[in-house]
Amino acid sequence: MPFLRFKGFDKHIIEQLSPSIIDEFAELVSIPKEIVKIELLHIEQITNSPLSVEIYMFQREQAIHDAVASMIHEKFSELGYSHLHIFFVILSPSLYYKEGKPLHEHPNQHYQMNF
């Protein structure tokens, strides 16, 4: 956690950009880069859908969300993908469970609450 989910992209593009996205995301959000999860979702488009990036994470200051979105947009724009949608799905720490237990009851919860 957090999860960055990419839809509509070729796998090699995500593999190419993932290391730098993880490094910069972790720095912007102030979390260990080892906990950043990257996923490529395979979808079947029924109607015309844009390329998109879904970011599942806990709430941060607006400036941090803005910086993350700008960084991701810049990386894809450099490769010619400037028309993508980036949106956040804000998770509630009180509704996040690991191994069936509330996050606050988990070992290492002191840094997990900052995801």
Side-chain angles (χ1 to χ4, degrees), residues 61-90:
E61 293 178 19
Q62 186 64 47
I64 293 173
H65 292 287
D66 294 347
V68 167
S70 178
M71 176 271 294
I72 290 172
H73 183 265
E74 182 178 316
K75 292 201 175 297
F76 282 97
S77 291
E78 291 172 358
L79 296 178
Y81 296 94
S82 59
H83 299 290
L84 66 143
H85 292 206
I86 301 168
F87 59 92
F88 293 84
V89 177
I90 303 301

Side-chain angles (χ1 to χ4, degrees), residues 7-32:
K7 293 192 317 190
F9 293 94
D10 290 328
K11 184 177 181 180
H12 74 277
I13 297 296
I14 303 306
E15 289 174 335
Q16 176 184 344
L17 291 177
S18 287
S20 64
I21 288 174
I22 290 170
D23 288 344
E24 291 183 41
F25 181 89
E27 185 175 327
L28 288 169
V29 180
S30 299
I31 58 172

Side-chain angles (χ1 to χ4, degrees), residues 38-64:
I38 300 280
E39 298 177 337
L40 175 60
L41 303 179
H42 298 282
I43 59 166
E44 185 174 339
Q45 292 184 354
I46 304 301
T47 62
N48 187 20
S49 299
L51 299 173
S52 65
V53 182
E54 302 172 359
I55 303 167
Y56 287 71
M57 62 186 281
F58 296 144
Q59 182 72 47
R60 296 292 196 280
E61 293 178 19
Q62 186 64 47
I64 293 173

Side-chain angles (χ1 to χ4, degrees), residues 1 3 35 37 93 95-109 111-112 115:
M1 202 352 229
F3 293 91
I35 66 172
K37 309 295 187 253
L95 297 174
Y96 193 92
Y97 297 81
K98 259 183 109 169
E99 299 168 4
K101 295 180 182 178
L103 191 59
H104 71 273
E105 292 181 11
H106 239 273
N108 298 324
Q109 61 92 16
Y111 80 84
Q112 290 177 350
F115 290 175

